[in-house]
Amino acid sequence: MAEGTGPAHRETSGIREDPVAGIQRNTGSVVVSLAGELDLYNAHAVREALLACCEEAPERLIVDLSAVKFIDSTALGVLIEARTRLANRRGFLLAAPGLETRRALEISGLDRHFSVHESLELALSAVL
């Protein structure tokens, strides 16, 4: 096995990656880009970022999931909590989930409760 590619390396490398890749503010919209593996170990960072953005009361809060490789139930719970904190819950949108993230949303049934869009562009232009 090559150095730095075993199971122990994958565990620690996922923890070190910042789950909040960026936050962009445009007229009435906030886009929070998440990345890597979202789980129990870094859900607190995602929660802090999303709740801080909710406090700004944007018309639209988009969570860009395009760079997320894995999401567990703890991180899904953070998305639910953030959505409940936004005054206009219809303004909470998920964008560009990959195959694994989409599967987690479908298995949990959350794809029926969240507004999920194929791309960030579609989420930005969605009618609320």
Side-chain angles (χ1 to χ4, degrees), residues 55-125:
E55 287 178 11
E56 297 173 23
E59 178 182 320
R60 179 183 313 250
L61 176 57
I62 301 169
V63 181
D64 180 359
L65 300 168
S66 61
V68 172
K69 298 173 197 148
F70 172 81
I71 188 166
D72 76 357
S73 59
T74 305
L76 289 172
V78 168
L79 295 178
I80 294 167
E81 180 183 3
R83 182 174 175 250
T84 64
R85 298 282 182 98
L86 200 60
N88 177 11
R89 291 183 184 176
R90 291 186 325 175
F92 189 90
L93 305 112
L94 303 179
L99 181 62
E100 293 300 320
T101 304
R102 181 171 292 283
R103 185 174 292 139
L105 290 167
E106 290 170 355
I107 289 170
S108 65
L110 292 176
D111 62 321
R112 294 187 304 272
H113 297 281
F114 284 115
S115 179
V116 182
H117 300 272
E118 292 299 316
S119 69
L120 179 56
E121 293 74 24
L122 289 173
L124 284 166
S125 63

